[in-house]
Amino acid sequence: MGEGQRPSPGLRKQCCLRERRTMALAEKILTGDIRSAARLMRDIDDGFRSAVDELKILYPHTGKAFIIGITGPPGAGKSTLVDQITAAYRRRGKTVGIVAIDPTSPFTGGAILGDRIRMNRHADDPGVFIRSLATRGHLGGLSRSTGDVVNVLDAMGMDVVIVETVGVGQDEIDIVSMAHTTTVVMVPGLGDDIQAIKAGILEIGDVFVVNKADRADADRTVRELATMLEMNPDRGKGWQPKVLKTEASRNRGIEELVDEFESHRVYLHDSGAIHHLLEEKNAKQFLEILRERLFSEVFSHIEVNGRFREIVAGMMTREKDPYSAVEEIVAERLRTGS
Amino acid sequence: MAERKLRVMVGKPGLDGHDRGAKIIARAFRDAGFEVIYTGLHQTPEQIVAAAIQEDVDCVGLSILSGAHNTLLPRICELFREKQADDIIIFGGGVIPDDDIPGLKAAGLKEVFTPGTSTEDIVKWVKDNVPPRA
Ligand code: B12
Ligand SMILES: Nc1nc2c(ncn2[C@@H]2O[C@H](COP(=O)(O)OP(=O)(O)OP(=O)(O)O)[C@@H](O)[C@H]2O)c(=O)[nH]1
Ligand SMILES: [Mg+2]
């Protein structure tokens, strides 16, 4: 779906054939079929149109899962935390879906999806479903498919869905509009660098974790983070993010962390903040789908009829400017398109 | 562009701690443009099969140097059949005596690569023998 997808006419025919064959995926997913869920996630990730029809059927069954985002720098211990959080929720009788995202190599298009290494002890627990995704060139810390894959897990009836982003720099903050509770994971020893962390990352967290608490300076990092959060101008209004200390590799501080997730969940509902959050999330999702769909409709049209090449050729000689070309095409499509 | 991207799992079953080969293979697959899910060490057959199904991989490559291949690998093939997931192609590599290879193939492994095989040959084999999901 979207800019990445440039369906050729042949491929479109193939998609329609698929559609007929796989219409049953969604129904099977709703009866608990794991294989069908995994397949639909694949169709979503690969941008098959048939996936959209399946998602339509699943949509009324979504909106029940509690979605937790885990973000933070590479190697901070995000996957190890996800593993322990999953174990903690399982002890509390909850089912858990996990989506773990790793970067695609820009050179080869391949990816090593290594987050699962830390969590695979849960693989054969029927109350856990783990899916690894590659960014496939998408910026923002998630793959383009993440939202829809989360929806599949939600429709499968997972009580909690945990999303691990790629190791963030500073601008990869798409997770905020996907999760109910966004968790920012830091490690000690960032030292003075913590000052350099863009304000952005401080603003997105509902919960802050200093992992690797076994390392020297953990308490200092906690204090520094807490001080920086206190300087936030929004301080005093609504939810007050806390800074928690964990040692994921030895399962320390995990119950407290899960209690904090639950406190935030209760806050969202009791304060009514959930309403605003969902409104923003829904608007964003709709606009994204609209943008992708419009683009791919228009693009596949002008690619097939040769206009695309014409325009690019026209730009070479400066006979055509791209601004008028877009205006013409948009005006035409609005007139003729249904 | 909306074509299938090949998804491959590299698994290390059993108590075998030799992971150099598995990591080299995983990297070669990434460099070939595949999405590679590496399970890490010490996986039970059940964990490997469940992970492969959840990840919807096209094939699973098992790396085993411990000598336990004659019990672990057929068990994994059997579990895939039990889960009706035997459309996932299974192959493997590691320190495996030539005499054991026919038995492993009969059990369900499509190919077995022993030490010294070049990663180019392995990547080529995957490209030739693993069609991405329809
Ligand atoms: C390095 C090594 C170690 C290192 C491992 C380091 C590591 N992290 O991997 C250390 C020192 C830790 C080690 C320990 C042991 N080792 Co050791 N080790 C070796 C050695 C010398 C080389 C293995 C290697 O890394 N090769 C390089 C890689 C790239 O090659 P490869 O794994 O074979 O992979 C190639 C192919 O096999 C194939 N392949 C492999 N996996 C896969 C997967 C897929 C999907 C595909 C397509 C292909 C494929 O493709 C690769 C490229 O050609 C071998 C001897 C040998 N020559 O193989 C012994 C050997 C494997 N070890 C052996 C033994 C016995 C042990 C110990 C039990 C020794 C002990 N008594 O303590 C321990 C056990 C450790 C454990 N926990 O399992 C025996 C195994 C005997 C057997 N199978 O019957 C061997 C064969 C030595 C011997 N001749 O006795 N070992
Ligand atoms: N000392 C210490 N090491 C930890 C702790 N938690 C995780 N680690 C180790 O840190 C390393 C990275 O952990 P991961 O969980 O893979 O980190 P990640 O943030 O998911 O990494 P990426 O996904 O690659 O960004 C591993 O070697 C873990 O064992 C901890 O609390 N203390
Ligand atoms: Mg990780």
Side-chain angles (χ1 to χ4, degrees):
Chain A
M1 287 170 233
E3 291 160 346
Q5 187 192 7
R6 295 172 183 183
S8 63
L11 211 86
R12 285 189 128 188
K13 211 187 288 161
Q14 187 193 327
C15 292
C16 299
L17 282 176
R18 272 190 65 76
E19 217 156 286
R20 244 170 286 138
R21 195 165 61 75
T22 60
M23 269 310 279
L25 279 183
E27 275 92 0
K28 285 196 200 151
I29 292 168
L30 292 172
T31 65
D33 185 52
I34 298 297
R35 195 95 212 268
S36 300
R39 293 231 156 139
L40 177 56
M41 290 175 185
R42 180 81 176 274
D43 288 348
I44 290 167
D45 212 20
D46 288 340
F48 277 70
R49 277 282 163 82
S50 59
V52 172
D53 294 301
E54 306 285 357
L55 285 166
K56 286 180 200 166
I57 302 172
L58 294 184
Y59 193 75
H61 302 272
T62 61
K64 299 188 191 88
F66 177 42
I67 304 167
I68 301 171
I70 309 276
T71 190
K78 297 180 293 297
S79 303
T80 315
L81 272 169
V82 172
D83 171 70
Q84 300 287 17
I85 294 164
T86 301
Y89 269 118
R90 294 297 291 137
R91 285 193 293 274
R92 295 178 187 203
K94 304 285 187 198
T95 54
V96 182
I98 300 168
V99 184
I101 298 120
D102 269 315
T104 294
S105 158
F107 305 107
T108 66
I112 293 186
L113 308 174
D115 293 323
R116 186 180 262 276
I117 297 172
R118 316 258 174 241
M119 334 170 172
N120 210 39
R121 66 170 163 146
H122 299 292
D124 54 343
D125 174 351
V128 176
F129 186 109
I130 308 171
R131 182 59 168 233
S132 312
L133 296 174
T135 53
R136 298 194 181 178
H138 191 72
L139 303 174
L142 304 176
S143 70
R144 196 184 293 280
S145 56
T146 303
D148 288 334
V149 170
V150 168
N151 275 343
V152 177
L153 290 165
D154 192 344
M156 286 166 78
M158 293 299 174
D159 297 315
V160 178
V161 175
I162 310 177
V163 180
E164 178 186 338
T165 72
V166 298
V168 283
Q170 30 215 223
D171 300 324
E172 293 117 338
I173 53 171
D174 275 3
I175 187 64
V176 185
S177 48
M178 181 143 326
H180 296 125
T181 302
T182 299
T183 313
V184 176
V185 184
M186 301 280 188
V187 284
L190 293 168
D192 294 337
D193 292 348
I194 204 160
Q195 302 294 340
I197 292 171
K198 286 262 171 72
I201 203 98
L202 288 177
E203 278 152 26
I204 66 170
D206 301 305
V207 179
F208 289 82
V209 173
V210 175
N211 188 41
K212 308 202 181 182
D214 49 314
R215 286 210 199 148
D217 277 353
D219 289 317
R220 208 184 99 197
T221 308
V222 170
R223 270 196 313 276
E224 281 178 351
L225 260 173
T227 310
M228 288 179 78
L229 287 169
E230 273 161 26
M231 295 189 307
N232 187 329
D234 285 342
R235 193 80 187 166
K237 285 178 261 168
W239 174 255
Q240 307 295 313
K242 286 200 192 111
V243 185
L244 278 73
K245 236 173 28 169
T246 61
E247 192 186 337
S249 49
R250 283 201 281 174
N251 198 23
R252 298 212 168 133
I254 304 299
E255 288 297 330
E256 293 80 353
L257 178 58
V258 173
D259 287 343
E260 185 68 1
F261 293 152
E262 291 301 312
S263 299
H264 187 244
R265 189 222 290 253
V266 168
Y267 160 80
L268 285 176
H269 286 276
D270 290 358
S271 68
I274 188 81
H275 184 76
H276 181 64
L277 187 88
L278 293 181
E279 226 170 36
E280 268 184 22
K281 183 179 156 156
N282 292 339
K284 189 170 182 233
Q285 191 198 5
F286 170 71
L287 290 175
E288 248 164 43
I289 297 170
L290 180 68
R291 193 178 299 124
E292 293 193 353
R293 186 60 187 260
L294 283 178
F295 176 84
S296 68
E297 291 281 318
V298 173
F299 184 78
S300 60
H301 185 74
I302 63 172
E303 194 186 37
V304 170
N305 73 11
R307 279 286 285 285
F308 177 58
R309 277 167 169 278
E310 260 172 52
I311 291 164
V312 174
M315 286 167 66
M316 292 298 234
T317 57
R318 291 291 184 273
E319 274 164 56
K320 191 91 206 164
D321 75 83
Y323 315 102
S324 318
V326 167
E327 277 172 6
E328 282 160 29
I329 284 162
V330 169
E332 257 169 57
R333 291 304 289 173
L334 286 181
R335 235 178 299 120
T336 58
S338 54
Chain B
M1 273 285 279
E3 58 191 41
R4 289 287 186 205
K5 164 108 31 193
L6 205 73
R7 282 171 71 90
V8 182
M9 200 171 88
V10 175
K12 284 278 326 165
L15 299 173
D16 179 12
H18 297 90
D19 61 359
R20 277 195 207 161
K23 285 179 171 167
I24 286 171
I25 299 293
R27 243 171 280 141
F29 285 165
R30 178 201 55 198
D31 293 344
F34 309 158
E35 286 181 359
V36 189
I37 293 103
Y38 176 46
T39 61
L41 292 169
H42 307 318
Q43 300 300 305
T44 64
E46 286 78 7
Q47 286 169 330
I48 287 176
V49 173
I53 289 174
Q54 290 170 18
E55 298 288 358
D56 194 44
V57 293
D58 299 296
C59 60
V60 177
L62 301 165
S63 177
I64 185 156
L65 285 80
S66 65
H69 47 270
N70 283 334
T71 47
L72 285 170
L73 301 188
R75 172 79 187 126
I76 291 171
C77 295
E78 188 187 306
L79 276 174
F80 271 111
R81 280 191 294 271
E82 250 171 52
K83 300 273 179 194
Q84 275 141 34
D86 47 343
D87 53 319
I88 298 175
I89 291 169
I90 313 163
F91 60 109
V95 177
I96 296 171
D98 287 345
D99 290 348
D100 292 346
I101 293 177
L104 293 174
K105 285 192 172 169
L109 261 79
K110 194 153 181 193
E111 194 51 86
V112 176
F113 299 93
T114 50
T117 320
S118 77
T119 53
E120 289 83 25
D121 288 346
I122 293 171
V123 166
K124 186 177 182 312
W125 182 88
V126 172
K127 285 183 173 164
D128 291 345
N129 289 276
V130 183
R133 173 139 4 281

